Amino acid sequence: MQRRQFIQLSSLAASLVLLPGCAAVANLTTGPLIDRHVPTDYSGVVAVRKHAGATLAVHASGLALREEKQPITKDTRFLVGSMTKWITAVTVLRLADMGTLDLDAPISRHLPELPAPNGAVTLRQLMSNRSGIPNGLLDALKKDRAVEKLEIGPVEAALRFGTGTPSSPPGEHWDYSYTNWILVAAVVERARKEPFTETVEELVLAPSGVRDTSFAATGYEDEVGMAVAYNAAGQRKTSPVPPMIAASGTLYSTASDLVKIADTVYLGKLLSDKARKELHTVVVASEDYALGGKVKTVTTKKGARSLAWEAGAIGAYKTLLAYDPADGRAVVLLNNTDMPQSEQAKIATALFEDM
């Protein structure tokens, strides 16, 4: 597929646009805050907003496609990796608000084919990675890498890879595995009687008004507007995105879309107060992990703040959304050159500490 050439805006006046449900976005302007903390050789997008309703300052640099010298712009799409889990958790919490799902009911209610011990786990345990069910997908991949090319959905994958004998009782041990999230998606599909991805689009993405966020398909590198990921040596480094892992890592998005989703989740009426509290309550203290993502306390000029801390890594894409539900302050980092996640975390922390 022929890639569309990325368009660079030539002036600040031309770069200010008002997006539905979001503050104005300043394209290719950094401001002193970003200048102080972002490396000059950063490849990707960095966005900062000081409070809800303020302008989202967006800094874009580097190349989206090195072979054709296509620049990264504020609208360039990146795979967001495990940030997808947070959006999956929001979807499940919406379904709980609607009475369709119960976070603390055994998943055998929707997947009766599972062995009894596996069916006894709950969505809360799965979304906090404490199910005790072994990572059957990883075990299968170790035996045969062709498994990653399987074009099967979450329900079939759950019944294939989620049936192993539990290694611990539910709720006891942390295990960050794909299989937990395959089971979550399978429960959603059975409850809604439609593909998991369609439920996410309908219940979270559409209400957020996003334009550049969806689930990647096979061959996503050739999609218009997508950054290609490269390792430190400049070689392409991408990962397969089989449909069975849609709940845990196959979304792509942009900086402005991610802030719009966070605004809708934390400042809007998408979720009940109870559901927002569930989303922002740490379940596994040793990991700062809540449901589908982390909650991190950062000291800022306005005091200690409890941030939604959503990080992702898939191939050489490294991404981070840090968001303050109290006032809508936000930092987004999207990178396509295999930047260490620890370095992204340092930049995001420094940006928040300086706000």
Side-chain angles (χ1 to χ4, degrees):
M1 181 183 295
Q2 182 66 35
R3 280 179 171 267
R4 181 182 304 162
Q5 293 296 315
F6 286 77
I7 299 173
Q8 288 183 290
L9 301 182
S10 59
S11 67
L12 175 60
S15 69
L16 291 176
V17 295
L18 191 63
L19 300 178
C22 188
V25 177
N27 183 32
L28 305 182
T29 61
T30 64
L33 184 63
I34 293 178
D35 286 340
R36 281 195 295 272
H37 300 294
V38 178
T40 56
D41 62 349
Y42 184 86
S43 180
V45 174
V46 180
V48 175
R49 188 179 69 183
K50 293 190 175 182
H51 58 81
T55 296
L56 181 68
V58 183
H59 167 72
S61 57
L63 296 175
L65 181 60
R66 293 186 179 188
E67 294 85 349
E68 297 182 15
K69 295 185 169 35
Q70 289 184 356
I72 290 170
T73 76
K74 70 177 183 64
D75 297 317
T76 300
R77 300 165 173 175
F78 294 75
L79 288 187
V80 299
S82 288
M83 203 182 295
T84 308
K85 295 179 175 68
W86 165 66
I87 293 174
T88 295
V90 172
T91 304
V92 171
L93 287 165
R94 276 219 74 189
L95 290 168
D97 278 343
M98 295 163 61
T100 304
L101 292 176
D102 182 339
L103 267 60
D104 297 305
I107 61 172
S108 59
R109 177 179 296 182
H110 302 282
L111 296 168
E113 304 96 322
L114 290 174
N118 305 56
V121 307
T122 67
L123 284 167
R124 188 184 305 277
Q125 290 160 346
L126 289 168
M127 293 193 299
S128 55
N129 299 299
R130 300 174 305 129
S131 69
I133 296 174
N135 194 345
L137 176 58
L138 180 61
D139 292 340
L141 285 169
K142 288 178 180 177
K143 297 175 183 177
D144 183 4
R145 294 304 303 183
V147 168
E148 67 188 8
K149 297 179 181 179
L150 287 175
E151 293 287 329
I152 61 174
V155 171
E156 184 177 345
L159 300 181
R160 182 181 298 197
F161 304 118
T163 58
T165 302
S167 56
S168 62
E172 282 197 1
H173 295 294
W174 161 269
D175 182 16
Y176 193 69
S177 91
Y178 280 129
T179 302
N180 287 325
W181 295 89
I182 289 173
L183 287 162
V184 171
V187 168
V188 171
E189 287 203 354
R190 280 285 177 82
R192 289 278 292 184
K193 297 181 175 57
E194 68 179 9
F196 168 78
T197 54
E198 290 184 13
T199 297
V200 177
E201 296 272 2
E202 178 185 342
L203 298 186
V204 181
L205 302 187
S208 299
V210 295
R211 300 179 302 179
D212 294 296
T213 303
S214 191
F215 291 90
T218 303
Y220 61 85
E221 286 183 79
D222 293 322
E223 291 185 11
V224 172
M226 182 77 74
V228 173
Y230 302 88
N231 63 19
Q235 301 166 323
R236 289 192 179 201
K237 181 182 177 183
T238 58
S239 295
V241 288
M244 61 181 158
I245 66 163
S248 60
T250 72
L251 269 178
Y252 63 80
S253 191
T254 63
S256 60
D257 270 7
L258 290 170
V259 174
K260 289 170 73 173
I261 293 170
D263 283 345
T264 303
V265 170
Y266 294 108
L267 304 181
K269 300 297 184 181
L270 187 74
L271 297 177
S272 66
D273 291 343
K274 177 184 177 182
R276 278 194 299 272
K277 184 177 180 181
E278 298 268 19
L279 189 64
H280 204 66
T281 298
V282 171
V283 179
V284 185
S286 61
E287 303 291 337
D288 297 324
Y289 206 83
L291 298 179
K294 294 189 175 187
V295 175
K296 182 174 179 178
T297 300
V298 172
T299 301
T300 73
K301 291 179 179 178
K302 297 182 180 180
R305 307 306 284 260
S306 178
L307 308 180
W309 194 268
E310 317 305 341
I314 182 167
Y317 298 99
K318 301 298 173 63
T319 56
L320 176 63
L321 165 67
Y323 187 93
D324 188 345
D327 60 12
R329 275 183 293 176
V331 170
V332 181
L333 293 102
L334 307 175
N335 172 264
N336 69 328
T337 55
D338 220 11
M339 182 180 206
Q341 287 183 290
S342 59
E343 291 301 312
Q344 278 195 324
K346 287 179 183 177
I347 294 171
T349 301
L351 287 166
F352 257 100
E353 290 175 344
D354 202 12
M355 276 197 274

